[in-house]
């Protein structure tokens, strides 16, 4: 975490009380709280208020969370911090459920980012809901949306804004290579996460995707943040250019699969079939989606076909 003196958050705690204090915070509720992924200033005012209000804070690492709270000027005794991580989540969730049943407000935070997104928390949320307790999410930092927002994802049609979350690919080489082969056929963008000791292996596996673009986000929101977009084939060389590039935590976005290049023949063939049944604009849009041909070129072809009386074309 970026170091900031606790005293500097005094005004933020007051602002949190003023901005969020009048809202309703029901008892017997699990509050799922997103925390910064690097820069301490990325905490929300509502998160600060809830972390002061709740009866206890369940967390992935009690020592890390205690340091985080103290950085904001929030001091909680160790007894109010409950360890709940990937190795004990199912069992520890039951202790949290018991406290919710007693009417307590409990917050859950992972070490960084939004709980349940490649972090513990999903089993706890499911258990709380199954037990009939309310789950109230407090949105905030996430490496996934942070990098997607900086990647400039552009593709034909609506594919540019669509993405899927792939998380961490398998650590074993054969399984990882098989997963990358599946990504080669995925037309949408894919967000991946990776640890520093495996990032070069992932780069080597992704290199087989050739000219498909990849945006790499390293140490997002931190002092040495680095964001770069390169062709997949160039990823190994990009990491090899500086040893610093293999340090830190990583998020990567595989950009949308480029539309197949159309020579005009297939697009016009599809267009002729559609024009016999559909208006020009509708036929052009569908033909572009099917063939990958540019809409402008197809529209000009449609006007040419209509002028030539080649088909019974609706305007």
């Amino acid at each position: 975490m970026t170091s900031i003196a606790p005293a500097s958050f005094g005004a933020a705690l007051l602002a949190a009380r003023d901005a969020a204090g009048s809202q309703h915070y029901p008892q017997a509720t699990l509050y799922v709280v997103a925390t910064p992924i690097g820069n301490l200033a990325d905490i929300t005012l509502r998160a600060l208020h809830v972390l002061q209000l709740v009866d206890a804070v369940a967390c992935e690492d009690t020592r890390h969370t205690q340091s985080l709270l103290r950085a904001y000027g929030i001091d909680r005794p160790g007894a109010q911090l409950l360890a709940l991580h990937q190795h004990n989540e199912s069992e520890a969730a039951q202790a949290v459920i018991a406290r919710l049943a007693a009417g307590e407000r409990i917050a859950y935070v992972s070490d960084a980012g939004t709980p349940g997104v490649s972090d513990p928390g999903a089993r706890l949320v499911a258990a709380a809901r199954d037990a009939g307790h309310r789950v109230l999410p407090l949105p905030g930092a996430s490496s996934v949306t942070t990098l997607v927002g900086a990647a400039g994802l552009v593709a034909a049609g609506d594919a540019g804004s669509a993405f899927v979350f792939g998380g961490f690919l398998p650590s074993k080489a054969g399984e990882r290579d098989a997963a990358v082969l599946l990504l080669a056929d995925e037309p949408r963008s894919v967000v991946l996460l990776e640890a520093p000791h495996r990032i070069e292996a992932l780069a080597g596996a992704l290199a087989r995707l050739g000219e498909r673009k990849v945006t790499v986000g390293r140490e997002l929101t931190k002092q040495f943040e680095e964001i770069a977009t390169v062709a997949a084939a160039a990823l190994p060389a990009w990491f090899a250019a500086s040893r610093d590039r293999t340090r830190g935590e990583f998020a990567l976005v595989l950009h949308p699969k480029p539309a197949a290049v159309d020579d005009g023949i297939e697009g016009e063939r599809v267009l002729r079939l559609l024009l016999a049944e559909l208006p020009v604009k509708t036929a052009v849009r569908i033909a572009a989606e099917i063939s990958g041909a540019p809409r402008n070129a197809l529209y000009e072809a449609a006007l040419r076909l209509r002028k030539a009386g080649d088909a019974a074309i609706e305007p």
Side-chain angles (χ1 to χ4, degrees), residues 5-7 9-10 13 48 52 67-76:
F9 279 96
L13 294 179
L48 287 175
Q52 295 177 88
S67 296
L68 181 69
L69 293 176
R70 286 174 176 165
Y72 294 127
I74 301 172
D75 194 16
R76 281 189 170 274

Side-chain angles (χ1 to χ4, degrees), residues 95-116:
V96 173
I97 299 305
R99 299 184 72 144
L100 292 173
E104 293 188 10
R105 301 179 182 95
I106 306 294
Y108 181 71
V109 299
S110 57
D111 284 349
T114 302

Side-chain angles (χ1 to χ4, degrees), residues 43-187:
I43 192 74
T44 70
L45 294 178
R46 194 155 66 112
L48 287 175
H49 182 72
V50 165
L51 290 172
Q52 295 177 88
L53 173 72
V54 294
D55 297 290
V57 178
C59 46
E60 188 175 0
D61 185 322
T62 57
R63 293 168 299 179
H64 178 92
T65 297
Q66 185 71 281
S67 296
L68 181 69
L69 293 176
R70 286 174 176 165
Y72 294 127
I74 301 172
D75 194 16
R76 281 189 170 274
Q80 293 182 3
L81 298 180
L82 315 174
L84 190 149
H85 45 75
Q86 62 176 338
H87 302 296
N88 77 341
E89 186 170 357
S90 296
E91 298 81 6
Q94 297 310 309
V96 173
I97 299 305
R99 299 184 72 144
L100 292 173
E104 293 188 10
R105 301 179 182 95
I106 306 294
Y108 181 71
V109 299
S110 57
D111 284 349
T114 302
V117 183
S118 279
D119 273 346
R123 289 187 176 89
L124 172 62
V125 168
R129 289 196 183 282
D130 288 346
H133 298 293
R134 183 175 177 182
V135 177
L136 201 158
L138 274 67
S142 167
S143 60
V144 175
T145 51
T146 297
L147 188 58
V148 166
L153 304 177
V154 178
D158 296 326
S161 59
F163 70 90
V164 294
F165 178 59
F168 290 89
L169 293 188
S171 58
K172 294 183 179 179
E175 295 176 1
R176 182 172 54 242
D177 290 344
V180 170
L181 287 176
L182 292 177
L183 293 182
D185 292 327
E186 172 56 64

Side-chain angles (χ1 to χ4, degrees), residues 14-28:
L14 292 175
R17 183 193 63 191
D18 292 342
S22 62
Q23 299 174 23
H24 179 54
Y25 298 93
Q27 294 180 308

